[in-house]
Each structure stands twice: as structure tokens, then as C-alpha cells.
Amino acid sequence: RAALPGPSRMRRFALPAAYVVYLLAVGYLVWSPHPTTASSAVTQVTELLNRVGIGLSAAWVEFGLNVLLFVPMSLLGAFVFHRTRIADWVLVGFVASFTVEVVQRIVLPTRTGSSRDIVANTLGALLGAVLAWLVAAWRGRGRGRASGYGGAR
């Protein structure tokens, strides 16, 4: 009988696999020539928030969703690529977002690039990196360091 994979084996294979799935999903969402997927999500979330009494405009909901879209990039990524620092993830988030917006503006005629999206995505990358650092610090608190993540160095 084969042994179940231990935590380190799961971490070694499951996290990179989840990261690849996340990147493919984001790639589809941001580079799909049809903007209906993204705009439909904004509309649905805005309507849901309004129904529960949170009156945010569609522009703020879109900003928040763009922040959330990039959180997993650095949160998962920090545990796949152990030696990255928070500043590295902010830079990666900015460059990735800038690239997405340029492609949307130049290559995809039905999509529009936005500097506001670049700000939101970069903020999401920062938030994910800080969350990863906090998780690593919590996991390594008995050892006096942020175990498994390069952190703020």
C-alpha cells in the first residue's frame, strides 16, 4: 500500500500546482478578448453588496476585485518561491499588472487598459506578500523567525 504524501510532499507538489491553476485562471480572465466575464463579476458583486446594505459603486467594487485578484499571486507564490521578499512581490505585481493593461489596451480591442487597475493589482500583490510574511512569522514564532519566507529583508 502506498503511503499518503506527508506535509512536505504536499507542499512540494500541491502549492505549485495550485499556483499554476491560479495563474492560468487569471490569464484567461485578464486576456480573454471578451470583457463580459470581468464586467459580469463586477455587476453581480455590486448587486449582492447592495442587497445586503453595502452601497458601493461599481468602480469601487471593481477596484476591490482587482486587489483580490492579485493577492494569491504573492500569497501562494511566496511559499512556492521561498527566497522572495515583500518588495520583490510588489515589483512582480506592478510589472505583471502593467503588462496585462498594456496588452489589453494595445492588443485586445474589446478591452481597455487602466492605470487604476495597475494600482489595485499592485496593492493586491503587496497585501498577499504581507499576509504570506505574517503566516510564515506565525509558523516560525517558536524559532524566532519567519520560517519559509524571505519576508521583508
Side-chain angles (χ1 to χ4, degrees):
R1 212 162 97 161
L4 292 174
S8 62
R9 177 176 270 176
M10 289 291 282
R11 190 178 312 123
R12 199 171 340 147
F13 296 109
L15 279 176
Y19 197 61
V20 168
V21 168
Y22 159 76
L23 291 175
L24 289 172
V26 168
Y28 173 77
L29 182 65
V30 300
W31 283 328
S32 169
H34 306 290
T36 54
T37 305
S39 62
S40 174
V42 170
T43 301
Q44 290 175 3
V45 171
T46 303
E47 289 172 358
L48 175 68
L49 291 172
N50 285 329
R51 270 185 290 207
V52 297
I54 302 171
L56 291 176
S57 69
W60 280 109
V61 170
E62 180 182 9
F63 186 86
L65 290 174
N66 272 305
V67 169
L68 292 176
L69 182 67
F70 269 54
V71 168
M73 181 186 65
S74 51
L75 179 58
L76 287 175
F79 294 103
V80 173
F81 304 103
H82 300 283
R83 302 231 184 267
T84 52
R85 299 171 302 156
I86 291 173
D88 297 333
W89 285 114
V90 172
L91 181 61
V92 167
F94 173 79
V95 170
S97 183
F98 183 82
T99 302
V100 165
E101 299 305 318
V102 166
V103 169
Q104 285 181 348
R105 182 168 292 248
I106 295 173
V107 179
L108 301 171
T110 59
R111 303 292 299 262
T112 55
S114 161
S115 58
R116 182 179 165 113
D117 289 354
I118 295 171
V119 171
N121 296 153
T122 304
L123 184 60
L126 171 62
L127 181 60
V130 169
L131 288 172
W133 183 84
L134 290 171
V135 167
W138 178 76
R139 285 178 47 207
R141 62 184 173 177
R143 294 168 270 196
R145 63 187 181 89
S147 170
Y149 177 51
R153 289 182 287 167

PDB file of all heavy atoms in Angstrom, residues 29 35-50 56-66 117:
ATOM      1  N   LEU A  29      -8.887  35.201 -17.473  1.00  0.00           N
ATOM      2  CA  LEU A  29      -9.755  36.317 -17.089  1.00  0.00           C
ATOM      3  C   LEU A  29      -9.276  37.648 -17.662  1.00  0.00           C
ATOM      4  O   LEU A  29     -10.059  38.421 -18.201  1.00  0.00           O
ATOM      5  CB  LEU A  29      -9.832  36.414 -15.564  1.00  0.00           C
ATOM      6  CG  LEU A  29     -10.735  37.492 -14.992  1.00  0.00           C
ATOM      7  CD1 LEU A  29     -12.191  37.220 -15.347  1.00  0.00           C
ATOM      8  CD2 LEU A  29     -10.570  37.575 -13.490  1.00  0.00           C
ATOM      9  N   PRO A  35     -14.787  41.079 -22.650  1.00  0.00           N
ATOM     10  CA  PRO A  35     -14.758  41.639 -21.295  1.00  0.00           C
ATOM     11  C   PRO A  35     -15.975  41.275 -20.448  1.00  0.00           C
ATOM     12  O   PRO A  35     -16.065  41.674 -19.298  1.00  0.00           O
ATOM     13  CB  PRO A  35     -14.700  43.148 -21.547  1.00  0.00           C
ATOM     14  CG  PRO A  35     -15.399  43.333 -22.849  1.00  0.00           C
ATOM     15  CD  PRO A  35     -15.067  42.089 -23.652  1.00  0.00           C
ATOM     16  N   THR A  36     -16.897  40.487 -20.998  1.00  0.00           N
ATOM     17  CA  THR A  36     -18.135  40.207 -20.270  1.00  0.00           C
ATOM     18  C   THR A  36     -17.898  39.445 -18.979  1.00  0.00           C
ATOM     19  O   THR A  36     -18.624  39.645 -18.004  1.00  0.00           O
ATOM     20  CB  THR A  36     -19.124  39.417 -21.154  1.00  0.00           C
ATOM     21  OG1 THR A  36     -18.466  38.249 -21.647  1.00  0.00           O
ATOM     22  CG2 THR A  36     -19.618  40.263 -22.302  1.00  0.00           C
ATOM     23  N   THR A  37     -16.895  38.571 -18.922  1.00  0.00           N
ATOM     24  CA  THR A  37     -16.637  37.810 -17.705  1.00  0.00           C
ATOM     25  C   THR A  37     -16.317  38.740 -16.549  1.00  0.00           C
ATOM     26  O   THR A  37     -16.909  38.651 -15.476  1.00  0.00           O
ATOM     27  CB  THR A  37     -15.476  36.815 -17.920  1.00  0.00           C
ATOM     28  OG1 THR A  37     -15.784  35.991 -19.039  1.00  0.00           O
ATOM     29  CG2 THR A  37     -15.263  35.957 -16.701  1.00  0.00           C
ATOM     30  N   ALA A  38     -15.381  39.655 -16.758  1.00  0.00           N
ATOM     31  CA  ALA A  38     -14.976  40.582 -15.693  1.00  0.00           C
ATOM     32  C   ALA A  38     -16.103  41.559 -15.351  1.00  0.00           C
ATOM     33  O   ALA A  38     -16.398  41.785 -14.173  1.00  0.00           O
ATOM     34  CB  ALA A  38     -13.722  41.336 -16.110  1.00  0.00           C
ATOM     35  N   SER A  39     -16.741  42.128 -16.359  1.00  0.00           N
ATOM     36  CA  SER A  39     -17.789  43.115 -16.069  1.00  0.00           C
ATOM     37  C   SER A  39     -19.003  42.454 -15.426  1.00  0.00           C
ATOM     38  O   SER A  39     -19.669  43.054 -14.585  1.00  0.00           O
ATOM     39  CB  SER A  39     -18.182  43.882 -17.327  1.00  0.00           C
ATOM     40  OG  SER A  39     -18.711  43.013 -18.298  1.00  0.00           O
ATOM     41  N   SER A  40     -19.279  41.214 -15.787  1.00  0.00           N
ATOM     42  CA  SER A  40     -20.377  40.483 -15.168  1.00  0.00           C
ATOM     43  C   SER A  40     -20.099  40.236 -13.690  1.00  0.00           C
ATOM     44  O   SER A  40     -20.992  40.368 -12.848  1.00  0.00           O
ATOM     45  CB  SER A  40     -20.585  39.150 -15.899  1.00  0.00           C
ATOM     46  OG  SER A  40     -21.548  38.378 -15.242  1.00  0.00           O
ATOM     47  N   ALA A  41     -18.847  39.893 -13.366  1.00  0.00           N
ATOM     48  CA  ALA A  41     -18.477  39.679 -11.959  1.00  0.00           C
ATOM     49  C   ALA A  41     -18.648  40.964 -11.162  1.00  0.00           C
ATOM     50  O   ALA A  41     -19.178  40.947 -10.047  1.00  0.00           O
ATOM     51  CB  ALA A  41     -17.042  39.177 -11.863  1.00  0.00           C
ATOM     52  N   VAL A  42     -18.231  42.088 -11.720  1.00  0.00           N
ATOM     53  CA  VAL A  42     -18.374  43.381 -11.034  1.00  0.00           C
ATOM     54  C   VAL A  42     -19.847  43.685 -10.792  1.00  0.00           C
ATOM     55  O   VAL A  42     -20.234  44.077  -9.685  1.00  0.00           O
ATOM     56  CB  VAL A  42     -17.695  44.510 -11.841  1.00  0.00           C
ATOM     57  CG1 VAL A  42     -18.038  45.878 -11.262  1.00  0.00           C
ATOM     58  CG2 VAL A  42     -16.186  44.311 -11.881  1.00  0.00           C
ATOM     59  N   THR A  43     -20.667  43.473 -11.800  1.00  0.00           N
ATOM     60  CA  THR A  43     -22.101  43.741 -11.674  1.00  0.00           C
ATOM     61  C   THR A  43     -22.736  42.850 -10.603  1.00  0.00           C
ATOM     62  O   THR A  43     -23.488  43.330  -9.747  1.00  0.00           O
ATOM     63  CB  THR A  43     -22.816  43.521 -13.025  1.00  0.00           C
ATOM     64  OG1 THR A  43     -22.233  44.396 -13.984  1.00  0.00           O
ATOM     65  CG2 THR A  43     -24.298  43.780 -12.922  1.00  0.00           C
ATOM     66  N   GLN A  44     -22.423  41.565 -10.634  1.00  0.00           N
ATOM     67  CA  GLN A  44     -23.014  40.627  -9.674  1.00  0.00           C
ATOM     68  C   GLN A  44     -22.590  40.941  -8.238  1.00  0.00           C
ATOM     69  O   GLN A  44     -23.416  40.909  -7.319  1.00  0.00           O
ATOM     70  CB  GLN A  44     -22.648  39.194 -10.035  1.00  0.00           C
ATOM     71  CG  GLN A  44     -23.338  38.712 -11.287  1.00  0.00           C
ATOM     72  CD  GLN A  44     -22.883  37.328 -11.717  1.00  0.00           C
ATOM     73  OE1 GLN A  44     -22.078  36.689 -11.055  1.00  0.00           O
ATOM     74  NE2 GLN A  44     -23.416  36.864 -12.837  1.00  0.00           N
ATOM     75  N   VAL A  45     -21.308  41.235  -8.034  1.00  0.00           N
ATOM     76  CA  VAL A  45     -20.835  41.555  -6.680  1.00  0.00           C
ATOM     77  C   VAL A  45     -21.443  42.872  -6.201  1.00  0.00           C
ATOM     78  O   VAL A  45     -21.852  42.994  -5.041  1.00  0.00           O
ATOM     79  CB  VAL A  45     -19.294  41.587  -6.624  1.00  0.00           C
ATOM     80  CG1 VAL A  45     -18.802  42.119  -5.291  1.00  0.00           C
ATOM     81  CG2 VAL A  45     -18.725  40.185  -6.872  1.00  0.00           C
ATOM     82  N   THR A  46     -21.523  43.867  -7.088  1.00  0.00           N
ATOM     83  CA  THR A  46     -22.129  45.153  -6.718  1.00  0.00           C
ATOM     84  C   THR A  46     -23.586  44.954  -6.296  1.00  0.00           C
ATOM     85  O   THR A  46     -24.013  45.488  -5.262  1.00  0.00           O
ATOM     86  CB  THR A  46     -22.047  46.154  -7.888  1.00  0.00           C
ATOM     87  OG1 THR A  46     -20.676  46.306  -8.275  1.00  0.00           O
ATOM     88  CG2 THR A  46     -22.608  47.506  -7.494  1.00  0.00           C
ATOM     89  N   GLU A  47     -24.329  44.187  -7.072  1.00  0.00           N
ATOM     90  CA  GLU A  47     -25.729  43.920  -6.730  1.00  0.00           C
ATOM     91  C   GLU A  47     -25.852  43.169  -5.411  1.00  0.00           C
ATOM     92  O   GLU A  47     -26.710  43.484  -4.581  1.00  0.00           O
ATOM     93  CB  GLU A  47     -26.407  43.136  -7.857  1.00  0.00           C
ATOM     94  CG  GLU A  47     -26.641  43.966  -9.103  1.00  0.00           C
ATOM     95  CD  GLU A  47     -27.140  43.149 -10.282  1.00  0.00           C
ATOM     96  OE1 GLU A  47     -27.270  41.902 -10.163  1.00  0.00           O
ATOM     97  OE2 GLU A  47     -27.399  43.753 -11.336  1.00  0.00           O
ATOM     98  N   LEU A  48     -24.992  42.187  -5.184  1.00  0.00           N
ATOM     99  CA  LEU A  48     -25.009  41.431  -3.930  1.00  0.00           C
ATOM    100  C   LEU A  48     -24.726  42.343  -2.741  1.00  0.00           C
ATOM    101  O   LEU A  48     -25.429  42.300  -1.728  1.00  0.00           O
ATOM    102  CB  LEU A  48     -23.989  40.297  -3.973  1.00  0.00           C
ATOM    103  CG  LEU A  48     -23.807  39.504  -2.685  1.00  0.00           C
ATOM    104  CD1 LEU A  48     -25.061  38.700  -2.380  1.00  0.00           C
ATOM    105  CD2 LEU A  48     -22.603  38.610  -2.771  1.00  0.00           C
ATOM    106  N   LEU A  49     -23.715  43.181  -2.861  1.00  0.00           N
ATOM    107  CA  LEU A  49     -23.384  44.102  -1.770  1.00  0.00           C
ATOM    108  C   LEU A  49     -24.528  45.078  -1.505  1.00  0.00           C
ATOM    109  O   LEU A  49     -24.828  45.391  -0.348  1.00  0.00           O
ATOM    110  CB  LEU A  49     -22.086  44.854  -2.084  1.00  0.00           C
ATOM    111  CG  LEU A  49     -20.813  44.019  -2.071  1.00  0.00           C
ATOM    112  CD1 LEU A  49     -19.636  44.836  -2.581  1.00  0.00           C
ATOM    113  CD2 LEU A  49     -20.533  43.470  -0.685  1.00  0.00           C
ATOM    114  N   ASN A  50     -25.155  45.565  -2.560  1.00  0.00           N
ATOM    115  CA  ASN A  50     -26.301  46.476  -2.388  1.00  0.00           C
ATOM    116  C   ASN A  50     -27.462  45.786  -1.687  1.00  0.00           C
ATOM    117  O   ASN A  50     -28.141  46.391  -0.861  1.00  0.00           O
ATOM    118  CB  ASN A  50     -26.745  47.051  -3.740  1.00  0.00           C
ATOM    119  CG  ASN A  50     -25.795  48.115  -4.241  1.00  0.00           C
ATOM    120  OD1 ASN A  50     -25.175  48.840  -3.469  1.00  0.00           O
ATOM    121  ND2 ASN A  50     -25.647  48.191  -5.548  1.00  0.00           N
ATOM    122  N   LEU A  56     -21.722  50.216  -2.346  1.00  0.00           N
ATOM    123  CA  LEU A  56     -20.503  50.628  -3.040  1.00  0.00           C
ATOM    124  C   LEU A  56     -20.792  50.782  -4.526  1.00  0.00           C
ATOM    125  O   LEU A  56     -21.595  50.037  -5.090  1.00  0.00           O
ATOM    126  CB  LEU A  56     -19.402  49.575  -2.859  1.00  0.00           C
ATOM    127  CG  LEU A  56     -18.806  49.417  -1.470  1.00  0.00           C
ATOM    128  CD1 LEU A  56     -17.804  48.270  -1.452  1.00  0.00           C
ATOM    129  CD2 LEU A  56     -18.128  50.704  -1.018  1.00  0.00           C
ATOM    130  N   SER A  57     -20.117  51.732  -5.142  1.00  0.00           N
ATOM    131  CA  SER A  57     -20.271  51.903  -6.583  1.00  0.00           C
ATOM    132  C   SER A  57     -19.562  50.768  -7.312  1.00  0.00           C
ATOM    133  O   SER A  57     -18.666  50.106  -6.759  1.00  0.00           O
ATOM    134  CB  SER A  57     -19.675  53.243  -7.027  1.00  0.00           C
ATOM    135  OG  SER A  57     -18.264  53.206  -6.905  1.00  0.00           O
ATOM    136  N   ALA A  58     -19.935  50.554  -8.557  1.00  0.00           N
ATOM    137  CA  ALA A  58     -19.301  49.521  -9.371  1.00  0.00           C
ATOM    138  C   ALA A  58     -17.797  49.792  -9.522  1.00  0.00           C
ATOM    139  O   ALA A  58     -16.995  48.853  -9.565  1.00  0.00           O
ATOM    140  CB  ALA A  58     -19.969  49.433 -10.734  1.00  0.00           C
ATOM    141  N   ALA A  59     -17.411  51.063  -9.564  1.00  0.00           N
ATOM    142  CA  ALA A  59     -15.988  51.400  -9.698  1.00  0.00           C
ATOM    143  C   ALA A  59     -15.192  50.919  -8.484  1.00  0.00           C
ATOM    144  O   ALA A  59     -14.088  50.391  -8.624  1.00  0.00           O
ATOM    145  CB  ALA A  59     -15.820  52.908  -9.881  1.00  0.00           C
ATOM    146  N   TRP A  60     -15.756  51.094  -7.271  1.00  0.00           N
ATOM    147  CA  TRP A  60     -15.055  50.636  -6.065  1.00  0.00           C
ATOM    148  C   TRP A  60     -15.062  49.120  -5.958  1.00  0.00           C
ATOM    149  O   TRP A  60     -14.105  48.518  -5.485  1.00  0.00           O
ATOM    150  CB  TRP A  60     -15.637  51.281  -4.819  1.00  0.00           C
ATOM    151  CG  TRP A  60     -15.116  52.667  -4.632  1.00  0.00           C
ATOM    152  CD1 TRP A  60     -15.801  53.827  -4.786  1.00  0.00           C
ATOM    153  CD2 TRP A  60     -13.774  53.030  -4.298  1.00  0.00           C
ATOM    154  NE1 TRP A  60     -14.978  54.900  -4.568  1.00  0.00           N
ATOM    155  CE2 TRP A  60     -13.718  54.446  -4.272  1.00  0.00           C
ATOM    156  CE3 TRP A  60     -12.611  52.318  -4.047  1.00  0.00           C
ATOM    157  CZ2 TRP A  60     -12.559  55.142  -3.979  1.00  0.00           C
ATOM    158  CZ3 TRP A  60     -11.444  53.015  -3.758  1.00  0.00           C
ATOM    159  CH2 TRP A  60     -11.423  54.409  -3.730  1.00  0.00           C
ATOM    160  N   VAL A  61     -16.137  48.494  -6.392  1.00  0.00           N
ATOM    161  CA  VAL A  61     -16.190  47.028  -6.386  1.00  0.00           C
ATOM    162  C   VAL A  61     -15.143  46.485  -7.352  1.00  0.00           C
ATOM    163  O   VAL A  61     -14.410  45.547  -7.027  1.00  0.00           O
ATOM    164  CB  VAL A  61     -17.599  46.518  -6.752  1.00  0.00           C
ATOM    165  CG1 VAL A  61     -17.605  45.018  -6.996  1.00  0.00           C
ATOM    166  CG2 VAL A  61     -18.587  46.886  -5.648  1.00  0.00           C
ATOM    167  N   GLU A  62     -15.039  47.088  -8.535  1.00  0.00           N
ATOM    168  CA  GLU A  62     -14.026  46.662  -9.497  1.00  0.00           C
ATOM    169  C   GLU A  62     -12.621  46.829  -8.914  1.00  0.00           C
ATOM    170  O   GLU A  62     -11.769  45.954  -9.067  1.00  0.00           O
ATOM    171  CB  GLU A  62     -14.151  47.451 -10.798  1.00  0.00           C
ATOM    172  CG  GLU A  62     -13.121  47.035 -11.835  1.00  0.00           C
ATOM    173  CD  GLU A  62     -13.199  47.842 -13.119  1.00  0.00           C
ATOM    174  OE1 GLU A  62     -13.933  48.844 -13.172  1.00  0.00           O
ATOM    175  OE2 GLU A  62     -12.494  47.452 -14.068  1.00  0.00           O
ATOM    176  N   PHE A  63     -12.375  47.945  -8.232  1.00  0.00           N
ATOM    177  CA  PHE A  63     -11.068  48.178  -7.610  1.00  0.00           C
ATOM    178  C   PHE A  63     -10.786  47.074  -6.592  1.00  0.00           C
ATOM    179  O   PHE A  63      -9.703  46.481  -6.586  1.00  0.00           O
ATOM    180  CB  PHE A  63     -11.045  49.560  -6.939  1.00  0.00           C
ATOM    181  CG  PHE A  63      -9.697  49.940  -6.404  1.00  0.00           C
ATOM    182  CD1 PHE A  63      -8.758  50.541  -7.221  1.00  0.00           C
ATOM    183  CD2 PHE A  63      -9.360  49.698  -5.074  1.00  0.00           C
ATOM    184  CE1 PHE A  63      -7.506  50.898  -6.738  1.00  0.00           C
ATOM    185  CE2 PHE A  63      -8.116  50.052  -4.580  1.00  0.00           C
ATOM    186  CZ  PHE A  63      -7.186  50.657  -5.421  1.00  0.00           C
ATOM    187  N   GLY A  64     -11.760  46.785  -5.726  1.00  0.00           N
ATOM    188  CA  GLY A  64     -11.587  45.748  -4.708  1.00  0.00           C
ATOM    189  C   GLY A  64     -11.355  44.375  -5.308  1.00  0.00           C
ATOM    190  O   GLY A  64     -10.504  43.603  -4.831  1.00  0.00           O
ATOM    191  N   LEU A  65     -12.087  44.051  -6.377  1.00  0.00           N
ATOM    192  CA  LEU A  65     -11.887  42.757  -7.031  1.00  0.00           C
ATOM    193  C   LEU A  65     -10.512  42.676  -7.684  1.00  0.00           C
ATOM    194  O   LEU A  65      -9.886  41.608  -7.697  1.00  0.00           O
ATOM    195  CB  LEU A  65     -13.001  42.501  -8.056  1.00  0.00           C
ATOM    196  CG  LEU A  65     -14.388  42.234  -7.476  1.00  0.00           C
ATOM    197  CD1 LEU A  65     -15.428  42.140  -8.598  1.00  0.00           C
ATOM    198  CD2 LEU A  65     -14.399  40.988  -6.608  1.00  0.00           C
ATOM    199  N   ASN A  66     -10.029  43.795  -8.217  1.00  0.00           N
ATOM    200  CA  ASN A  66      -8.681  43.814  -8.787  1.00  0.00           C
ATOM    201  C   ASN A  66      -7.618  43.636  -7.705  1.00  0.00           C
ATOM    202  O   ASN A  66      -6.593  42.990  -7.935  1.00  0.00           O
ATOM    203  CB  ASN A  66      -8.436  45.107  -9.569  1.00  0.00           C
ATOM    204  CG  ASN A  66      -8.879  44.979 -11.002  1.00  0.00           C
ATOM    205  OD1 ASN A  66      -8.462  44.089 -11.715  1.00  0.00           O
ATOM    206  ND2 ASN A  66      -9.758  45.864 -11.424  1.00  0.00           N
ATOM    207  N   ASP A 117      -6.360  50.020 -12.446  1.00  0.00           N
ATOM    208  CA  ASP A 117      -6.183  48.574 -12.271  1.00  0.00           C
ATOM    209  C   ASP A 117      -4.750  48.241 -11.865  1.00  0.00           C
ATOM    210  O   ASP A 117      -4.524  47.334 -11.059  1.00  0.00           O
ATOM    211  CB  ASP A 117      -6.542  47.826 -13.548  1.00  0.00           C
ATOM    212  CG  ASP A 117      -8.038  47.837 -13.838  1.00  0.00           C
ATOM    213  OD1 ASP A 117      -8.820  48.325 -12.991  1.00  0.00           O
ATOM    214  OD2 ASP A 117      -8.426  47.364 -14.928  1.00  0.00           O
TER     215      ASP A 117
END
